[in-house]
Amino acid sequence: MAAPVAIHLEFGGGAELLVDGVKDHHVTLPSQPEPWDVKQLLVWIRQNLLKERPELFVQGDSVRPGILVLINDADWELMGELDYQLQDQDNVVFISTLHGG
Amino acid sequence: MCQVEEEYHGPLQREELPSVSKQCMKCKEAGAAVVIRAGDAYCRGCFKEYFIHKFRAMLGKNRLIFPGEKVLLAVSGGPSSCSMLSQVQEGLSQNAHKKLRFLPGIVYIDEGGAVGQSVEDRRRTVDQLQAVFRATGFPFLVVPLEQVLDLPSSVVLSAPGAPEWKAGAYKAAVDHFLLSDGSSGVTAQQQQETPPLEVQEAHTHSLQRLLGSARTLTAREELLNTLRQHLLVHTARSAGYSKVMLGDSCTRLAVKLLSSISLGRGAQLAHDTGFSDSRYGDIILVRPMRDYSAKEIAYYNRMFSVPSVFTAGLETKTADKSSIQRLTESFVTKLQADFPSTVSTIYRTSEKLQSCKSLASAGGDRCLLCVCALDTAAENASAFSATLISEQLSQTQSPEQSRPAPEAPPPASQCCSAVGGEACGNRGGGCCSSAEASEPPPLRSLLCYSCQLTIKDLSSEEVLPHYILSEAQRRLRRSQLREEIRDFLLEDEADEG
């Protein structure tokens, strides 16, 4: 049983439009049997934060191509992408590089 | 030989990431922060160095921007152009031998009216950007897109170009600049506060009517691009700038390359996506960011807090298939996700393109909208004329359109094939447009293939800005005149030839 995880989410480059235009979100992920990883975080975001057009943010298991992810200011490719296990106080940033956001 | 029953081993497997090392591949000390190309991990410091070096290398390699020259930076507020702005700032603050030596100014085109933003939203965006621009200390202009309605028709003419620079000219200019104590020139520019131009509501409405008359998002985007470019060139001309820097990134250009081909702009690709674009003659458009991928730019802006201002555009929150440009973008980014060299491969192709010299020669006729050399003076047996014929055949024949195909009138086709493309061009397209002049939409004869398609998607040509319509009339009158005195002209040319 993992404890709840408090993390800071940021949306930029137009991705914030999908989450009510708010760039910064301080959220606490509830405790669950397994530790939280990025894959589950995306599911959680889809259910709790995305207000409209979820297909413009998540596609399949992962984020839509063209949206960059940084975990604690480092490329998520260095952190194991979807399998990275979130720690308390982690900082996750989503930046859209698509034209028009 | 190919085997008929060659064995393929199931679906392609995605290669396991070569467990990117957590260390910077360059200094091999600091922990990595960014993965640029597949597997190349850089730390913060090395990434910054690499990024800054690339900008200077791009300008240095091309030797296009002369010391002391006035250069207008077109900043939209997006990540790429804001990054360009910060790179120019960075370059001007370097120590002597590395320093950039041109005089930058900034222009922001406020497109809020075109995409339906409220006056307050536009105000807010402009305020944010003005704060960014003020911090740079460069002079800046904020121009609402509505201004495009008041442009003079000279915008769509290609002005006589700057004198051809010879091979040694750049070196000579640098030496001259150094001798004349370059510092005096650079500090000359003062930042002036120009009050942002007030926008009349009526203008916003007519701009919206113009863009709204486009039946497809594809045409609307093309139209907006064209208008924006005209306004940029006009602003540069009237403020005395000779170069305009655009912030197109490598990813953007890859998308633009593929969508341009789909839009029938193959002949103009070299201009649309190359490093420098001299179609306007006196004003040269430059794309110094074309070596950076969107990812690099986004990471750099994030890590070194380069300010940018997000504004929603026409494509914001639209579905993948809403326009050709949007669909191409999603195609490229999706492919890029699994094959990380997609963008760079497309981009390398664009580097090698060159515009056809005979078309680009000064005398040739140019498209009324995109100001590229017309590609419609094609021979009879070309793909273009085949498209025209099949278009004609597929239309239900109304009485007035039952006239024979354009190449039928013997004098016109004769002159086209006999005198050849160049002569056609010299005579202001008299012969080629004469064949089509009697067709219902005469405007089409003045446009390149792709712009014809865009205009065809408009519900009415009347909504086009005045400067385009009046220039169109002028050109049509001229070609009519030419038509009337054609016999004399032909003799002239025969003598010369």
Side-chain angles (χ1 to χ4, degrees):
Chain A
M1 192 74 177
V5 193
I7 55 171
H8 178 205
L9 300 176
E10 276 180 68
F11 297 85
E16 67 268 24
L17 291 188
L18 301 172
V19 287
D20 257 358
V22 183
K23 288 191 170 195
D24 291 278
H25 293 258
H26 292 273
V27 300
T28 309
L29 305 174
S31 68
Q32 60 166 23
E34 297 132 31
W36 281 92
D37 59 18
V38 176
K39 199 172 185 170
Q40 291 159 327
L41 172 68
L42 291 178
V43 176
W44 186 88
I45 289 178
R46 188 186 175 125
Q47 284 165 355
N48 295 277
L49 286 182
L50 289 181
K51 296 289 192 259
E52 49 180 327
R53 316 285 303 273
E55 76 278 9
L56 293 183
F57 188 76
V58 274
Q59 279 180 8
D61 278 349
S62 189
V63 289
R64 174 183 175 203
I67 294 184
L68 301 175
V69 187
L70 284 92
I71 301 172
N72 298 330
D73 267 348
D75 197 335
W76 77 328
E77 287 177 39
L78 292 163
M79 316 291 275
E81 303 197 11
L82 291 172
D83 301 326
Y84 172 76
Q85 293 198 352
L86 291 163
Q87 313 292 321
D88 205 39
Q89 304 305 323
D90 268 354
N91 186 20
V92 184
V93 187
F94 299 94
I95 305 173
S96 169
T97 63
L98 298 165
H99 201 217
Chain B
M1 278 292 285
C2 293
Q3 289 179 325
V4 179
E5 297 200 16
E6 201 164 348
E7 280 181 32
Y8 293 101
H9 299 284
L12 283 173
Q13 287 190 348
R14 196 172 165 185
E15 201 177 313
E16 273 306 304
L17 280 175
S19 63
V20 184
S21 67
K22 298 270 166 110
Q23 273 189 349
C24 171
M25 59 154 294
K26 200 161 175 222
C27 63
K28 309 219 164 36
E29 284 167 12
V34 195
V35 180
I36 304 176
R37 290 161 300 250
D40 284 0
Y42 277 66
C43 69
R44 256 178 86 97
C46 293
F47 176 57
K48 187 173 187 185
E49 217 170 87
Y50 155 89
F51 199 91
I52 292 173
H53 170 76
K54 209 146 102 166
F55 189 77
R56 218 192 325 272
M58 193 49 148
L59 292 181
K61 191 172 71 184
N62 289 286
R63 298 197 155 192
L64 211 70
I65 296 183
F66 283 58
E69 195 169 11
K70 282 179 83 182
V71 177
L72 190 62
L73 311 174
V75 179
S76 68
S80 192
S81 54
C82 284
S83 195
M84 174 174 81
L85 178 59
S86 86
Q87 285 308 303
V88 170
Q89 254 186 299
E90 172 78 38
L92 288 173
S93 66
Q94 289 286 321
N95 52 25
H97 75 284
K98 281 181 172 177
K99 191 169 165 153
L100 297 178
R101 298 194 196 90
F102 55 85
L103 305 175
I106 307 171
V107 63
Y108 167 66
I109 308 260
D110 171 17
E111 291 165 19
V115 297
Q117 276 181 345
S118 67
V119 180
E120 295 82 59
D121 281 348
R122 296 179 67 174
R123 191 76 268 158
R124 205 173 312 129
T125 313
V126 170
D127 284 347
Q128 282 177 331
L129 277 163
Q130 276 183 331
V132 174
F133 296 161
R134 224 168 266 142
T136 63
F138 303 152
F140 64 87
L141 296 161
V142 174
V143 187
L145 187 64
E146 280 83 350
Q147 292 277 309
V148 85
L149 300 170
D150 299 326
L151 289 184
S153 22
S154 58
V155 173
V156 283
L157 297 175
S158 175
E164 283 287 315
W165 295 105
K166 292 185 190 69
Y170 182 80
K171 187 87 176 66
V174 172
D175 291 343
H176 178 75
F177 182 80
L178 291 177
L179 277 177
S180 64
D181 183 23
S183 57
S184 60
V186 176
T187 50
Q189 274 184 314
Q190 289 291 318
Q191 192 170 25
Q192 297 159 350
E193 281 289 309
T194 40
L197 297 154
E198 282 304 316
V199 184
Q200 291 171 14
E201 217 172 308
H203 273 121
T204 311
H205 282 310
S206 36
L207 184 67
Q208 279 167 350
R209 207 169 48 239
L210 166 59
L211 288 167
S213 73
R215 277 183 287 255
T216 56
L217 187 59
T218 306
R220 205 171 301 152
E221 282 178 40
E222 280 300 289
L223 201 59
L224 181 59
N225 284 341
T226 309
L227 295 178
R228 185 194 302 122
Q229 203 172 63
H230 289 170
L231 191 53
L232 276 178
V233 169
H234 174 73
T235 313
R237 272 184 189 152
S238 46
Y241 290 91
S242 49
K243 300 266 159 53
V244 178
M245 277 193 181
L246 306 174
D248 293 292
S249 69
C250 160
T251 315
R252 194 98 281 282
L253 286 174
V255 172
K256 204 164 159 186
L257 182 97
L258 290 187
S259 52
S260 292
I261 294 175
S262 327
L263 290 167
R265 297 189 56 80
Q268 294 88 351
L269 272 183
H271 274 144
D272 284 349
T273 59
F275 174 75
S276 72
D277 175 351
S278 53
R279 74 177 82 158
Y280 291 96
D282 54 343
I283 305 287
I284 297 189
L285 309 179
V286 189
R287 302 187 177 86
M289 299 301 285
R290 69 194 301 273
D291 244 0
Y292 298 100
S293 72
K295 179 177 177 179
E296 283 167 22
I297 292 169
Y299 276 118
Y300 185 88
N301 287 0
R302 160 93 201 159
M303 285 180 172
F304 303 101
S305 20
V306 176
S308 63
V309 178
F310 174 76
T311 42
L314 285 177
E315 286 185 326
T316 301
K317 285 205 255 182
T318 51
D320 279 357
K321 287 177 189 158
S322 54
S323 72
I324 292 180
Q325 295 91 332
R326 181 74 190 69
L327 182 63
T328 318
E329 181 186 38
S330 111
F331 169 70
V332 172
T333 43
K334 275 179 186 160
L335 208 54
Q336 172 79 5
D338 285 329
F339 303 93
S341 41
T342 303
V343 165
S344 56
T345 309
I346 304 174
Y347 159 74
R348 299 262 172 266
T349 315
S350 79
E351 247 181 353
K352 295 182 179 66
L353 293 170
Q354 282 191 335
S355 54
C356 177
K357 281 283 182 299
S358 65
L359 276 178
S361 62
D365 247 9
R366 286 165 184 275
C367 170
L368 184 61
L369 283 182
C370 68
V371 202
C372 285
L374 280 185
D375 55 357
T376 46
E379 291 150 36
N380 284 344
S382 65
F384 175 63
S385 60
T387 317
L388 280 184
I389 292 173
S390 69
E391 185 189 318
Q392 226 152 23
L393 291 177
S394 61
Q395 272 168 356
T396 41
Q397 297 269 313
S398 60
E400 75 212 15
Q401 278 179 324
S402 56
R403 53 185 292 280
E407 73 271 13
S413 72
Q414 197 185 4
C415 101
C416 258
S417 48
V419 193
E422 201 181 288
C424 262
N426 286 338
R427 306 196 306 110
C431 75
C432 299
S433 50
S434 69
E436 288 177 68
S438 51
E439 295 224 316
L443 192 63
R444 280 182 63 179
S445 62
L446 301 171
L447 301 174
C448 67
Y449 175 62
S450 170
C451 292
Q452 284 184 12
L453 294 181
T454 304
I455 293 302
K456 211 157 74 179
D457 267 348
L458 296 187
S459 51
S460 153
E461 287 169 9
E462 321 278 82
V463 291
L464 284 173
H466 180 70
Y467 72 97
I468 294 180
L469 291 178
S470 64
E471 174 66 14
Q473 270 172 4
R474 199 182 67 85
R475 289 191 195 183
L476 285 172
R477 267 202 309 275
R478 258 178 64 181
S479 71
Q480 241 167 21
L481 196 68
R482 280 227 168 76
E483 178 73 0
E484 282 163 23
I485 56 170
R486 191 177 61 201
D487 294 341
F488 305 100
L489 279 178
L490 266 179
E491 273 170 31
D492 269 6
E493 269 170 22
D495 287 347
E496 279 169 28

